[in-house]
């Protein structure tokens, strides 16, 4: 019982000083604090043997040495103990006391005044101490090379420069902290940002799934949280497959696909994305395998994609062994672009097993996001997709907002001109599920 009471009483032991509350300009010197820690006095020659047996009792606090010199005895050492567990000799367990006795160590616990500074506190502890009590202090961020990309909430904005500096101080390799100050532009998929602290340089380099990408983060779209999704789609592809990447960005789908010996057509409307897509194709040595375009998504689908599909799905298509995939990663608007597939091709339909497979991304705030995405995509195409598509949950974007990927084969009745569409149940066989984990 005494231990529980002491825990409650000392819960703020390793918190920064209370008088930093409300600080908006970082003053590192204001975080100095002295705390009293229980210690065990030992001879320096027994420290290594003893530490293996005192894992439970020793202080477990990153950034603080567990063994220091005894200021009163140069041949002695002080072992820092957990202040929430160790109070008197009775706090040691039987096995621990046995080891102490074997090594001729006095189990008497002493006190030591430990000086803490800004360097000893974690970023979340600093922000919790500074921001108004009870307010959210989440210190998470997206790392984009040397840049920490934050998404600050309204109550955090008065402290934005302090927050940015703390992120730089506490995360090795981060030299710039930025905050998004508007929603993503639906045309070019970039957003305005302000530098909170550190370098103004937004030119960065990132590694994702063993590929390297370079770009100006202030002018293109990049989200490190999509790494798993880029990998998931790449794993669905086989060498020789054809990939049309309608909203390619700087290449996170296109480049791994090209490395897998797929034929890749990659497009982005943003001139900056187009520039860095070309650059990254060369950087990753796939520039000979990727055809790059700078078109509106609809123009790309009704131009280069249509021309290539006419060849891929033409009279010789029966001899074709590879699949055709179309990736549409523009979650805010991609479903609208599905209308471009309606009556896109002339001639006789190819076999249903050769029809292109679409991976279309979308956001949903619906209580049943999978059904919502299926219904919205089906409405644009003019058919029901509920029996012939799979929906993969990509990630939770915000409270009650999901990012999903709906995958389906485009029915011949939709893709080809002069075909009859059965709105409720087209004749093409249901698409085999591409992936079952995390599907709805």
């Amino acid at each position: 019982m005494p231990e529980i009471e002491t825990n409650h009483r000392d819960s703020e032991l390793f918190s920064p000083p209370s008088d930093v509350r409300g600080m908006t300009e970082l003053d590192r010197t204001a975080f100095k604090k002295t705390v009293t820690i229980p210690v065990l006095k030992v001879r320096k020659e027994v420290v290594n043997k003893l530490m293996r047996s005192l894992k439970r009792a020793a202080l477990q606090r990153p950034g603080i040495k567990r063994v220091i010199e005894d200021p009163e005895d140069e041949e002695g050492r002080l072992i820092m103990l957990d202040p929430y567990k160790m109070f008197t000799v009775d706090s040691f367990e039987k096995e621990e006391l046995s080891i102490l006795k074997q090594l001729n160590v006095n189990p008497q616990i002493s006190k030591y005044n430990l000086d803490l500074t800004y360097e000893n506190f974690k970023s979340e502890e600093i922000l919790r101490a500074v921001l108004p009590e009870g307010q959210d202090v989440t210190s998470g961020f997206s790392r984009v090379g040397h840049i920490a990309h934050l998404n600050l909430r309204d109550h955090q904005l008065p402290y934005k420069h302090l927050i940015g500096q703390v992120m730089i101080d506490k995360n090795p390799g981060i030299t710039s902290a930025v905050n998004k100050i508007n929603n993503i532009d639906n045309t070019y998929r970039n957003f305005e940002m302000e530098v909170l602290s550190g370098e103004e340089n937004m030119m960065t380099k990132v590694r994702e799934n063993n590929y390297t990408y370079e770009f100006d983060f202030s002018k293109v779209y990049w989200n490190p949280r999509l790494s798993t999704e880029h990998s998931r789609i790449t794993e669905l592809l086989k060498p020789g497959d054809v990939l049309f990447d309608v909203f390619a960005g700087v290449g996170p789908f296109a480049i791994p696909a090209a490395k897998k010996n797929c034929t890749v057509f990659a497009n982005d409307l943003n001139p900056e994305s187009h520039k860095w897509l070309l650059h990254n194709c060369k950087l990753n040595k796939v520039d000979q395998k990727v055809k790059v375009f700078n078109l509106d998504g609809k123009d790309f689908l009704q131009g280069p994609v249509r021309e290539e599909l006419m060849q891929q799905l033409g009279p010789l298509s029966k001899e074709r062994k590879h699949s055709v995939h179309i990736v549409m990663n523009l979650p805010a608007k991609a479903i609208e672009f599905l209308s471009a597939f309606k009556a896109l091709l002339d001639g006789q339909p190819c076999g249903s097993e050769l029809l292109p497979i679409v991976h279309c991304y979308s956001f949903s705030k619906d209580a049943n996001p999978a059904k919502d995405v299926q219904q919205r995509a089906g409405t644009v195409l003019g058919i029901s997709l509920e029996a012939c598509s799979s929906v993969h949950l990509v990630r939770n974007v915000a409270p009650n907002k999901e990012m999903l990927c709906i995958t389906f084969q485009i029915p011949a009745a939709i893709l080809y001109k002069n075909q009859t569409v059965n709105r409720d149940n087209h004749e093409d066989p249901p698409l085999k599920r591409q992936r079952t984990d995390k599907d709805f």
Side-chain angles (χ1 to χ4, degrees):
M1 202 66 178
E3 182 170 333
I4 295 172
E5 291 173 0
T6 309
N7 268 353
H8 181 72
R9 189 174 66 243
D10 292 342
S11 61
E12 300 300 310
L13 187 66
F14 287 112
S15 297
S18 58
D19 56 6
V20 300
R21 179 82 64 199
M23 178 188 291
T24 55
E25 189 173 328
L26 183 61
D27 177 8
R28 297 176 183 84
T29 63
F31 287 83
K32 288 179 180 175
K33 178 180 180 179
T34 301
V35 295
T36 302
I37 300 291
V39 294
L40 189 65
K41 291 174 174 279
V42 302
R43 303 183 314 281
K44 65 179 181 181
E45 60 267 19
V46 302
V47 168
N48 290 339
K49 288 181 183 177
L50 196 53
M51 289 304 291
R52 285 195 290 269
S53 302
L54 290 183
K55 287 181 180 177
R56 181 199 70 89
L59 177 66
Q60 304 287 342
R61 173 78 188 178
I64 297 178
K65 291 182 179 179
R66 286 188 290 175
V67 180
I68 61 171
E69 290 186 11
D70 186 341
E72 298 173 358
D73 178 7
E74 61 181 36
E75 292 301 310
R77 296 293 182 266
L78 300 180
I79 295 178
M80 301 272 186
L81 301 177
D82 188 331
Y84 299 132
K85 295 177 182 174
M86 308 305 295
F87 311 102
T88 66
V89 174
D90 295 336
S91 302
F92 286 108
E93 293 182 346
K94 190 181 292 184
E95 293 80 1
E96 294 166 343
L97 286 170
S98 176
I99 293 293
L100 293 176
K101 188 174 182 180
Q102 286 177 34
L103 296 174
N104 197 26
V105 174
N106 183 348
Q108 191 66 42
I109 291 179
S110 304
K111 299 291 184 183
Y112 177 77
N113 289 332
L114 176 66
D115 292 327
L116 299 177
T117 66
Y118 174 80
E119 283 67 35
N120 297 120
F121 298 111
K122 303 168 191 172
S123 57
E124 195 165 325
E125 292 168 336
I126 292 169
L127 299 185
R128 187 178 291 117
V130 168
L131 268 63
E133 211 161 355
Q135 294 277 27
D136 174 41
V137 297
T138 302
S139 56
F141 61 87
S142 295
R143 182 167 187 156
V144 184
H146 68 279
I147 303 165
H149 170 216
L150 295 92
N151 229 333
L152 298 183
R153 298 178 183 175
D154 289 345
H155 72 271
Q156 297 169 328
L157 293 177
Y159 309 90
K160 61 186 180 181
H161 297 299
L162 179 146
I163 293 172
Q165 188 57 56
V166 171
M167 293 300 104
I168 291 173
D169 290 346
K170 298 296 179 179
N171 295 279
I174 295 292
T175 57
S176 181
V178 303
N179 182 43
K180 183 171 78 170
I181 55 176
N182 72 345
N183 291 325
I184 292 177
D185 171 65
N186 282 338
T187 305
Y188 286 166
R189 286 204 302 176
N190 56 1
F191 48 80
E192 286 186 55
M193 62 178 73
E194 65 173 330
V195 177
L196 303 177
S197 191
E199 299 176 0
E200 298 276 342
N201 176 25
M202 294 294 105
M203 288 292 305
T204 191
K205 177 191 286 191
V206 299
R207 288 280 290 173
E208 181 186 273
N209 301 327
N210 296 318
Y211 303 103
T212 301
Y213 302 91
E214 294 178 344
F215 48 85
D216 182 338
F217 184 54
S218 67
K219 295 178 179 177
V220 305
Y221 178 79
W222 180 268
N223 189 338
R225 293 190 175 98
L226 294 179
S227 169
T228 302
E229 185 62 11
H230 298 150
S231 181
R232 184 182 76 89
I233 294 296
T234 304
E235 287 172 11
L236 300 178
L237 305 174
K238 296 180 175 60
D241 283 356
V242 178
L243 175 70
F244 297 103
D245 192 350
V246 186
F247 312 105
V250 299
F253 284 116
I255 288 166
K259 277 285 188 183
K260 208 167 179 178
N261 288 322
C262 295
T263 300
V264 179
F265 294 74
N267 171 72
D268 204 282
L269 177 62
N270 182 350
E272 284 289 323
S273 295
H274 176 258
K275 179 179 86 173
W276 291 108
L277 176 57
L278 285 168
H279 173 82
N280 289 321
C281 285
K282 288 180 181 177
L283 187 64
N284 290 278
K285 298 182 171 59
V286 294
D287 48 309
Q288 300 303 310
K289 298 178 181 178
V290 182
K291 294 180 181 177
V292 178
F293 301 85
N294 179 207
L295 300 169
D296 176 79
K298 185 177 179 182
D299 295 336
F300 176 60
L301 289 167
Q302 295 182 338
V305 174
R306 179 186 180 279
E307 290 171 21
E308 186 64 22
L309 286 179
M310 289 294 290
Q311 291 188 24
Q312 292 287 335
L313 308 182
L316 299 178
S317 64
K318 291 179 182 177
E319 300 173 15
R320 180 163 62 79
K321 302 281 193 211
H322 55 263
S323 300
V324 175
H325 293 258
I326 302 172
V327 171
M328 305 174 70
N329 183 22
L330 185 66
K333 296 188 77 173
I335 283 179
E336 298 172 23
F337 286 81
L338 294 177
S339 61
F341 292 118
K342 295 165 83 169
L344 183 65
L345 304 184
D346 301 308
Q348 288 298 311
C350 66
S352 59
E353 72 281 358
L354 302 176
L355 290 165
I357 300 167
V358 173
H359 309 278
C360 182
Y361 292 84
S362 182
F363 295 130
S364 177
K365 293 183 177 180
D366 196 86
N368 188 337
K371 189 173 183 180
D372 172 52
V373 168
Q374 286 173 324
Q375 288 179 343
R376 286 192 288 120
T379 298
V380 172
L381 288 170
I383 58 166
S384 172
L385 287 173
E386 291 190 36
C388 57
S389 65
S390 64
V391 180
H392 176 81
L393 173 62
V394 177
R395 69 187 191 96
N396 177 257
V397 177
N400 304 315
K401 184 178 181 182
E402 309 291 348
M403 178 179 174
L404 308 101
C405 176
I406 180 170
T407 294
F408 61 92
Q409 267 182 308
I410 311 173
I414 295 295
L415 191 60
Y416 287 87
K417 293 176 183 172
N418 305 317
Q419 297 296 308
T420 303
V421 179
N422 180 335
R423 295 180 65 87
D424 296 319
N425 192 11
H426 63 78
E427 296 177 358
D428 298 305
L431 173 69
K432 292 179 182 176
R433 293 177 73 81
Q434 300 295 321
R435 179 93 164 194
T436 55
D437 60 318
K438 293 188 182 177
D439 278 4
F440 284 85

